[in-house]
Amino acid sequence: MLDDLSWRHAWPLTCGGIMFLGGLFHGFLKPQQSMQGWGVTDKIAASREAQIIFYGHSIRTSTLGLLVLVLCAQKNYTGVDTTMAIMGSYCGLTDVMIIWRYGIQKTAVVRFLSVLPIIFWGLAGMTAGPSL
């Protein structure tokens, strides 16, 4: 993997690593704090049942990050771009709409601004680069 590493791989590796580790550890080790970041009330976020359901969100995030890392390791850069475009536009924007409607609107704005580069990177095919 390291023999053809370029600047084009820095953003997907960073996003994939953060999503994989953040989804894995923050969602599982601190589910209450994670849910509060979505705007969930303290009472609900402290409930065992809500935390169990939230693990599904954590697994989704972690799986998408792991998928990006694996595709990079396989040198499937078109797959990386496709995954980033879909996870940013479908999962990311859905998260933003949910947080905007039911959570903390300031958080929704920040999250929206953080998914835009992921979406545009994937749609522009920046990891794969121009076809030769």
Side-chain angles (χ1 to χ4, degrees), residues 53-82:
I53 297 298
F54 194 75
Y55 292 146
H57 169 76
S58 298
I59 286 296
R60 179 200 76 180
T61 302
S62 184
T63 300
L64 288 170
L66 182 59
L67 180 61
V68 169
L69 296 175
V70 168
L71 290 170
C72 277
Q74 293 174 341
K75 300 180 182 178
N76 182 350
Y77 302 129
T78 302
V80 171
D81 289 331
T82 302

Side-chain angles (χ1 to χ4, degrees), residues 3 9 12 15-16 19 21 24 27 30 33 41 49 58 65 92 102 129-130:
D3 56 331
H9 306 130
C15 291
M19 290 179 69
L21 296 174
L24 188 63
K30 297 186 176 190
Q33 290 87 341
T41 64
E49 293 80 5
S58 298
Y102 300 107

Side-chain angles (χ1 to χ4, degrees), residues 38 57 60 86-102 108 111-112 115 119:
W38 281 73
H57 169 76
R60 179 200 76 180
I86 291 171
M87 76 181 178
S89 60
Y90 182 69
C91 298
L93 292 178
T94 301
D95 288 351
V96 168
M97 289 187 293
I98 291 169
I99 295 170
W100 182 266
R101 183 165 181 186
Y102 300 107
R111 204 168 285 229
F112 176 71
V115 299
I119 295 168

